[in-house]
Amino acid sequence: DSNELVPVINYLNEQKTEDSDRLEGVAEGKNVIAISLESTQTFVVDNTLHGEEVTPYFNELKEEGMYFDNFYHQVKQGRTSDSEFLLANSMYPLNRGAVFFTHSGNEYEAMPELLSENGYFTNVMHANDKTFWNRNVMYDSLGYNEFFSKEDYDVTPEKSHGWGYLDEYFFEDSLEKMKEMEEPFYSKMITLTHHYPFTLPEELATIEQGETSSTTLNRYFQTIRYQDEALEQFVEEFKQSELYDDTILLIYGDHFGISENHQKAMGEYLGKEINDYEQFQLQRVPMLIYGKDIPSETNHTVGGQIDLRPTLTNLLGIEDENPVQFGQDLLNEDRREMMITRDGDFANEEYVGIQGVCYDRETGEQVEGQACEEGFQTAQEELSVSDSVIYGDLLRYLDETEMVNTDPTLNKNNKEE
Ligand code: GP9
């Protein structure tokens, strides 16, 4: 019943810090284009291969916007769909299976619904089959107004490779659709080409493959370069369009592309041994907010995908009354600086805690003693509180619970007096 939500809200209130108003409402009423970059990890950013930048365009673009360099993905088996879940709900995905499949029938108070209530036309653009990850079902539960899937794109064999529609055409068609959209809109675009096993037709490759002992990693460089060029074409055309003045971009990596099976090769590329600490740090994904009124800066706060929703609603100046959110605004200087993974590991300002072992976050040196104890405990508690919301479908009690909490005349104890 509705009482089950009370401990959740109490826990979240304990974690909460004062709201800050940094850049609050700076993008009020503006369109939002969220771009989910497939398998894109931070280790390629500002990095080179054969003396060439791997992602030259992103490297340049991030200097013009607000870039977050300690931002982690928090997905598990649901991969891209888990990252979508994190963005929409600011809750953790599940430890097993994909919540998009297992709990699509739950009630959510997701961001698309909130934005839609605030006058936005909310939609997802992804040129894959609409049933993949059960998206067609889950998107309704999350409150999206529309899903532009494969059938809405001009997908032909000539314009496809690997997983399907090539990013360059996907970006091109999507921008055309946005130019016609009613405003304000919130569009989430999900790229596809830079996906395992990272193959690319020879004529589309503009950088030589890597020379490590892993062909997967070697190919990764070519497909990420391809994605970078597709992004360039999109953003440059976007800048020339009328949308530019009234739109912000939120660009982020969805999850890792190179698994720990390729540690040896990754070590060869990065020139260091990939131990547990380095493997953890490899779970960082790029995150960039870009638009006319967004200042240029590199922000080092430790955060993750769970923080995207509160960050975005702050920029849009939208009052988000759903208290069941585990993330915190990345722009809030007093925020709890902590990122918890689905495995119960964590990073905070000082430490990284991995499977019971504690490291200094900056140096990677192992730290003896109890320094990470509290962090591990918080991680466990937080994951189980988040899980309780999903397993119990507790958001369906949200309205009731809030009434009980805020209206003293409805409070049982008061009534009895
Ligand atoms: C499929 C795409 C990739 O539609 O989102 O999913 P992934 O395998 O990365 O979860």
Side-chain angles (χ1 to χ4, degrees):
D1 58 36
S2 62
N3 287 332
E4 292 173 69
L5 205 46
V6 174
V8 174
I9 292 174
N10 288 344
Y11 171 80
L12 286 165
N13 282 339
E14 280 165 30
Q15 303 303 316
K16 229 177 143 172
T17 39
E18 282 297 302
D19 281 353
S20 85
D21 50 8
R22 179 151 188 244
L23 297 180
E24 186 183 342
V26 74
E28 192 179 333
K30 292 200 178 195
N31 306 312
V32 179
I33 304 176
I35 306 178
S36 166
L37 297 176
E38 177 61 43
S39 302
T40 301
Q41 294 172 244
T42 300
F43 78 87
V44 292
V45 176
D46 284 336
N47 219 335
T48 57
L49 179 72
H50 314 302
E52 279 176 61
E53 288 177 84
V54 181
T55 54
Y57 185 69
F58 186 83
N59 297 348
E60 195 182 293
L61 191 69
K62 81 178 199 322
E63 299 300 322
E64 296 171 33
M66 194 181 281
Y67 177 62
F68 294 82
D69 61 358
N70 279 311
F71 184 85
Y72 297 76
H73 81 76
Q74 292 166 296
V75 316
K76 195 87 193 254
Q77 292 172 343
R79 295 178 306 195
T80 304
S81 70
D82 279 354
S83 71
E84 297 184 65
F85 186 83
L86 282 146
L87 167 67
N89 297 301
S90 191
M91 289 199 287
Y92 295 89
L94 295 177
N95 197 32
R96 256 184 299 156
V99 61
F100 261 45
F101 275 110
T102 59
H103 292 79
S104 59
N106 274 17
E107 212 162 289
Y108 293 100
E109 297 277 341
M111 185 165 62
E113 191 177 323
L114 173 74
L115 296 183
S116 172
E117 284 162 10
N118 280 272
Y120 277 77
F121 170 63
T122 62
N123 61 89
V124 181
M125 305 180 131
H126 182 49
N128 198 3
D129 295 323
K130 62 180 179 213
T131 56
F132 200 92
W133 284 129
N134 203 29
R135 283 180 170 119
N136 55 333
V137 176
M138 187 59 159
Y139 285 169
D140 280 342
S141 303
L142 298 177
Y144 283 105
N145 299 132
E146 198 152 337
F147 178 17
F148 299 98
S149 70
K150 187 175 177 180
E151 62 201 38
D152 301 296
Y153 288 83
D154 181 28
V155 182
T156 60
E158 300 75 48
K159 297 202 272 180
S160 302
H161 176 78
W163 274 65
Y165 206 40
L166 282 158
D167 285 348
E168 58 187 295
Y169 304 110
F170 164 65
F171 273 124
E172 192 177 305
D173 297 2
S174 298
L175 189 57
E176 289 312 308
K177 290 187 200 302
M178 287 179 210
K179 286 179 182 168
E180 304 300 315
M181 257 176 212
E182 55 175 286
E183 298 183 48
F185 61 78
Y186 168 69
S187 289
K188 184 175 67 179
M189 305 170 75
I190 307 171
T191 65
L192 193 58
T193 309
H194 179 51
H195 191 291
Y196 182 85
F198 312 113
T199 66
L200 200 66
E202 188 63 38
E203 65 274 18
L204 293 180
T206 58
I207 187 166
E208 291 293 316
Q209 291 194 4
E211 285 166 351
T212 73
S213 55
S214 158
T215 49
T216 301
L217 177 59
N218 295 346
R219 288 194 300 253
Y220 183 94
F221 295 107
Q222 290 193 326
T223 47
I224 196 143
R225 169 63 79 78
Y226 170 80
Q227 181 185 258
D228 192 58
E229 288 166 349
L231 181 71
E232 171 172 17
Q233 158 227 309
F234 174 79
V235 177
E236 290 304 308
E237 202 185 318
F238 157 77
K239 283 189 192 169
Q240 301 306 316
S241 77
E242 284 179 4
L243 290 172
Y244 176 67
D245 283 345
D246 298 313
T247 305
I248 59 165
L249 307 183
L250 178 80
I251 305 176
Y252 64 95
D254 61 356
H255 52 71
F256 68 84
I258 301 297
S259 75
E260 53 193 351
N261 299 333
H262 303 272
Q263 264 176 7
K264 189 171 153 277
M266 192 61 103
E268 290 158 17
Y269 172 63
L270 296 174
K272 55 185 169 190
E273 196 206 326
I274 308 301
N275 58 15
D276 287 353
Y277 166 81
E278 296 292 348
Q279 185 61 34
F280 184 94
Q281 292 296 70
L282 281 169
Q283 305 315 304
R284 283 177 293 186
V285 294
M287 206 288 264
L288 174 68
I289 304 171
Y290 174 87
K292 220 176 149 205
D293 299 309
I294 305 294
S296 309
E297 68 181 43
T298 296
N299 190 313
H300 307 299
T301 190
V302 175
Q305 290 162 334
I306 207 147
D307 302 312
L308 289 171
R309 172 175 172 169
T311 306
L312 186 58
T313 50
N314 175 63
L315 292 171
L316 296 178
I318 287 181
E319 203 63 54
D320 189 346
E321 277 163 6
N322 175 3
V324 185
Q325 296 187 50
F326 292 81
Q328 298 191 0
D329 177 6
L330 292 164
L331 299 176
N332 183 349
E333 274 148 20
D334 300 321
R335 64 190 293 271
R336 180 189 77 165
E337 220 170 313
M338 186 168 187
M339 187 289 304
I340 297 169
T341 75
R342 192 53 255 200
D343 295 321
D345 297 333
F346 72 91
N348 63 23
E349 216 176 341
E350 280 180 278
Y351 305 112
V352 165
I354 310 164
Q355 304 293 304
V357 183
C358 198
Y359 301 84
D360 180 291
R361 188 176 62 83
E362 303 262 356
T363 65
E365 297 284 327
Q366 217 167 299
V367 181
E368 301 303 330
Q370 305 295 303
C372 282
E373 213 46 44
E374 201 187 319
F376 282 123
Q377 269 167 23
T378 305
Q380 280 313 325
E381 185 177 3
E382 183 148 324
L383 291 168
S384 83
V385 173
S386 177
D387 287 348
S388 75
V389 178
I390 298 173
Y391 290 131
D393 191 8
L394 298 186
L395 289 173
R396 69 196 144 129
Y397 303 128
L398 198 52
D399 291 344
E400 260 176 84
T401 311
E402 278 183 314
M403 268 164 62
V404 173
N405 277 347
T406 54
D407 186 346
T409 61
L410 290 172
N411 190 302
K412 273 194 214 135
N413 299 329
N414 285 351
K415 260 189 216 160
E416 277 158 18
E417 274 169 15

